[in-house]
Amino acid sequence: SPEQRSCTVNFYDREGREIGDGTRLCVKQSDPCPCNPDWEQSCDLPGVGVVCIPANFPCCSATEKFCFIVNISSNDLNSTATPPVTCVNQSADCPCDQESSKFCPPPPGALSTASFCQPRNMPCQSELRSCDEGEMMCSILQYNSSGDPVGENSTCASASRPCPCNANWETECRQGEQSFCHPTKYGGCPGVCSPEERSCPVNFYDRE
């Protein structure tokens, strides 16, 4: 009727994932649409009105905003689970996940003035010292005890030579006029190709 409006109550699977529109019903024009009582809660958002949000989300006040706290380790980046959510002041930066990341200020000249989260094993640009004349900044891969790369450190090195390799885990190899760092985990330097040849990678596999 003219005094009513149509609302849709969302459906969810057993894991709490929204699976589409559910029941359609009519409510008074002045009433908010009802939420799914099992998976949602009603929240009055400033400038938006009363809406349905996930039951495990906080309902932020007029002076706050939603922040997703993302674990930026490689395992959790591939996860489909919703990261934890918190409310912070509208003027504040969203917090980082304390286990996997740290807060970095924006680098000089960046378009955005907002700080951001970066993996703990990577230095913020503000932490990098400037190099002396005749030097250049180099990124050196860091490895775990199995010989797998886990991050990188930055250091200054002579600009007259290629960036150094990680002496504990890499070998400096040459291909023509170019040099590169080759992980010792995969044996010695790959063969050097002649002008009539091209290089092809051969994948390594474990026993499984």
Side-chain angles (χ1 to χ4, degrees):
S1 70
E3 294 79 23
Q4 294 179 314
R5 62 191 179 101
S6 178
C7 289
T8 300
V9 179
N10 296 321
F11 278 136
Y12 293 81
D13 64 17
R14 294 181 179 179
E15 302 300 322
R17 292 184 291 260
E18 188 177 336
I19 55 176
D21 294 343
T23 305
R24 291 185 179 273
L25 45 82
C26 294
V27 299
K28 292 181 179 180
Q29 289 284 357
S30 58
D31 291 344
C33 288
C35 301
N36 183 311
D38 296 322
W39 297 104
E40 297 175 334
Q41 62 171 318
S42 180
C43 181
D44 191 356
L45 296 180
V48 178
V50 179
V51 296
C52 296
I53 63 172
N56 60 343
F57 278 29
C59 188
C60 300
S61 70
T63 60
E64 295 177 317
K65 64 181 178 180
F66 284 112
C67 281
F68 289 92
I69 305 176
V70 180
N71 185 313
I72 55 179
S73 65
S74 58
N75 290 336
D76 284 11
L77 282 177
N78 297 324
S79 173
T80 58
T82 302
V85 184
T86 188
C87 296
V88 300
N89 191 281
Q90 288 282 359
S91 60
D93 293 313
C94 287
C96 301
D97 175 79
Q98 294 300 309
E99 293 183 4
S100 68
S101 57
K102 62 181 179 181
F103 224 39
C104 288
L111 295 178
S112 173
T113 58
S115 298
F116 58 94
C117 299
Q118 184 165 295
R120 280 195 171 277
N121 58 6
M122 295 180 63
C124 298
Q125 187 164 340
S126 60
E127 298 171 347
L128 301 176
R129 69 180 180 90
S130 59
C131 297
D132 296 331
E133 185 176 353
E135 293 183 323
M136 62 180 178
M137 186 66 69
C138 290
S139 295
I140 312 297
L141 283 177
Q142 303 300 303
Y143 295 79
N144 60 20
S145 58
S146 299
D148 299 313
V150 293
E152 61 183 35
N153 287 338
S154 296
T155 187
C156 292
S158 172
S160 63
R161 284 185 45 80
C163 285
C165 301
N166 185 319
N168 295 321
W169 296 101
E170 295 174 333
T171 301
E172 183 177 352
C173 301
R174 298 193 67 83
Q175 178 76 53
E177 297 298 320
Q178 303 294 320
S179 68
F180 59 95
C181 298
H182 181 70
T184 53
K185 178 179 181 178
Y186 302 121
C189 294
V192 178
C193 300
S194 70
E196 294 78 25
E197 297 177 314
R198 64 190 178 96
S199 176
C200 293
V202 178
N203 296 324
F204 281 96
Y205 296 86
D206 60 23
R207 293 181 179 179
E208 303 298 325

